Amino acid sequence: MAQAHTRILGTSFVVGEHCVKNDALSKICDTSDEWIRERSGIEQRYYVEEGVSTSELGFRASQKALEDAKVSPQEIDYLVFATMTPDYFFPGCGSIVQAKLGLGNIPALDLRQQCTGFIYGLQICDALVRAGMARRLLFIGAEVHTGFMPWSKKAVEIILGRSHEELPKEERDWNTKFRDRTVLFGDAAGAMVLGPADDPSRGLLGFALHSDGSKVESLYVPSAGMAYRPYVSEVHCREGRHVPVMDGRTVFKMAVSKMPEVVREVCRLAAVTVEDIDLLIAHQANLRINEAVQRSLGLPDSRVYNNIQRYGNTTAATIPIAYDECKRSGRIKPGDLLCFAGLGAGFHWGAALMRE
Ligand code: UT7
């Protein structure tokens, strides 16, 4: 008998409490709705209220995903948490959510593969389920990016529409230094319950994953880290070294070349063709990246889903959010061949195939 594949049994997602349109960001730095839409496709994103952490968003999304899967917390026997924005330097968010949900002392594993966190995590979840080590696995991809934003409390109040003051020029200039990154990201969490499929023809079919550490400095957070003593310093904060550094052009070029390549590779490994893909759900970093990937693969609009317009880049949460939306809207039907693909800091990139 063929070995059972791993299936998604239920999903859900949550976003930060505040919807922030592009125009709100132009109040605190030199940017515009037109620039952001044209270069990235983004129209709005969500920010959490200060104090709401990544584990809290992960917890909220998990409660909804458990309901969707009709699985009780007591049935979950493994938890995997992917994020690049954990609540603390250590430990990761996995055990925090394990305790909040009352899952008992099950294993809780934390992954940090940034924008490819979902694809790497999915492969680990698949391996655990197929090895019989987990039967009801909770997988979370969550991020609170707003902690990265080097903004004053006053700037945040202006963005959220709770203050109508103007920022001093010096502060606006400081915020403008980071505008190529700060406009892109939003806060959100996606969660999934996974388990063995009853029908061996359905579920996860295969993965292709890669890394290239030779370009780490194209996308990274230089500080805080154990490369320094002490690992966190006031000087670094003053210099803005706690904000992600990004060579946008390099990331863009890597994404538009590696993502189509890895989609073709995973299709070859699973003995299907790109034309067989019913729906491509790629990481949502930039709509222009995903349009270029789509063109390169020759897929029609009906076979690609994007929602970056409404959420911005939510890193490990983008694919679970998009999957959940497609599932609920009927865009994904039983028997459809789905492809997930992503690339991000590391660099890490990869693709997965799943028969719904
Ligand atoms: O998941 C991984 C996360 N990251 C990514 O995937 C990022 C991939 N890269 C990108 O999405 C794009 O490179 C960006 C959207 C980040 C930037 O777009 P770009 O077309 O590469 O713009 P650029 O960096 O070449 O900047 C063009 C101009 C510059 O001005 P000058 O030098 O021509 O006067 C920038 O200073 O646009 C300026 N600029 C902005 N203007 C208004 C940069 N950011 C902004 C902004 N608003 N937010």
Side-chain angles (χ1 to χ4, degrees), residues 31 35 39 115 179-180 183 246 248-249 251 283 285-286 313:
T31 190
W35 191 96
R39 305 285 175 132
C115 294
R179 64 181 174 177
D180 56 320
V183 301
M246 183 174 76
R249 290 274 166 102
V251 181
H283 169 56
N286 184 319
N313 182 351

Side-chain angles (χ1 to χ4, degrees), residues 3-156:
Q3 192 191 8
H5 291 129
T6 307
R7 276 202 69 197
I8 297 172
L9 306 173
T11 68
S12 202
F13 74 93
V14 296
V15 296
E17 296 85 348
H18 302 285
C19 180
V20 174
K21 306 262 184 208
N22 292 342
D23 279 338
L25 298 176
S26 62
K27 292 183 183 146
I28 61 115
C29 71
D30 294 348
T31 190
S32 66
D33 177 47
E34 192 191 359
W35 191 96
I36 302 169
R37 271 177 206 254
E38 222 167 70
R39 305 285 175 132
S40 71
I42 298 166
E43 295 166 19
Q44 60 179 45
R45 75 287 293 136
Y46 293 84
Y47 290 167
V48 291
E49 183 62 42
E50 189 172 358
V52 175
S53 65
T54 298
S55 72
E56 174 60 25
L57 286 188
F59 166 68
R60 293 177 189 173
S62 298
Q63 284 183 310
K64 292 172 68 184
L66 287 167
E67 255 173 52
D68 187 55
K70 298 185 179 54
V71 166
S72 71
Q74 290 68 39
E75 289 174 85
I76 295 295
D77 50 13
Y78 217 111
L79 187 153
V80 177
F81 200 120
T83 187
M84 69 168 194
T85 53
D87 300 10
Y88 308 118
F89 197 87
F90 78 81
C93 292
S95 61
I96 303 173
V97 173
Q98 171 264 332
K100 271 194 179 174
L101 281 170
L103 300 182
N105 300 133
I106 59 160
L109 176 67
D110 291 284
L111 296 175
R112 39 180 312 169
Q113 252 59 36
Q114 296 70 243
C115 294
T116 328
F118 176 79
I119 313 240
Y120 269 73
L122 204 58
Q123 188 191 45
I124 298 292
C125 295
D126 181 44
L128 289 166
V129 170
R130 284 159 70 99
M133 290 179 183
R135 276 198 62 80
R136 290 291 177 268
L137 190 152
L138 178 61
F139 176 32
I140 304 160
E143 310 286 350
V144 168
H145 291 112
T146 33
F148 277 138
M149 314 301 182
W151 299 328
S152 65
K153 286 195 188 301
K154 195 203 276 179
V156 174

Side-chain angles (χ1 to χ4, degrees), residues 203-261:
L204 289 161
L205 304 180
F207 294 85
L209 296 178
H210 298 280
S211 298
D212 176 2
S214 67
K215 296 187 187 68
V216 164
E217 291 175 11
S218 301
L219 183 52
Y220 79 130
V221 183
S223 178
M226 296 301 167
Y228 311 100
R229 282 188 198 175
Y231 79 102
V232 55
S233 99
E234 204 188 312
V235 177
H236 285 180
C237 288
R238 248 186 279 126
E239 293 168 354
R241 291 167 63 81
H242 59 309
V243 182
V245 165
M246 183 174 76
D247 173 355
R249 290 274 166 102
T250 300
V251 181
F252 197 102
K253 279 190 209 148
M254 281 288 284
V256 298
S257 66
K258 295 297 179 193
M259 284 213 280
E261 200 176 286

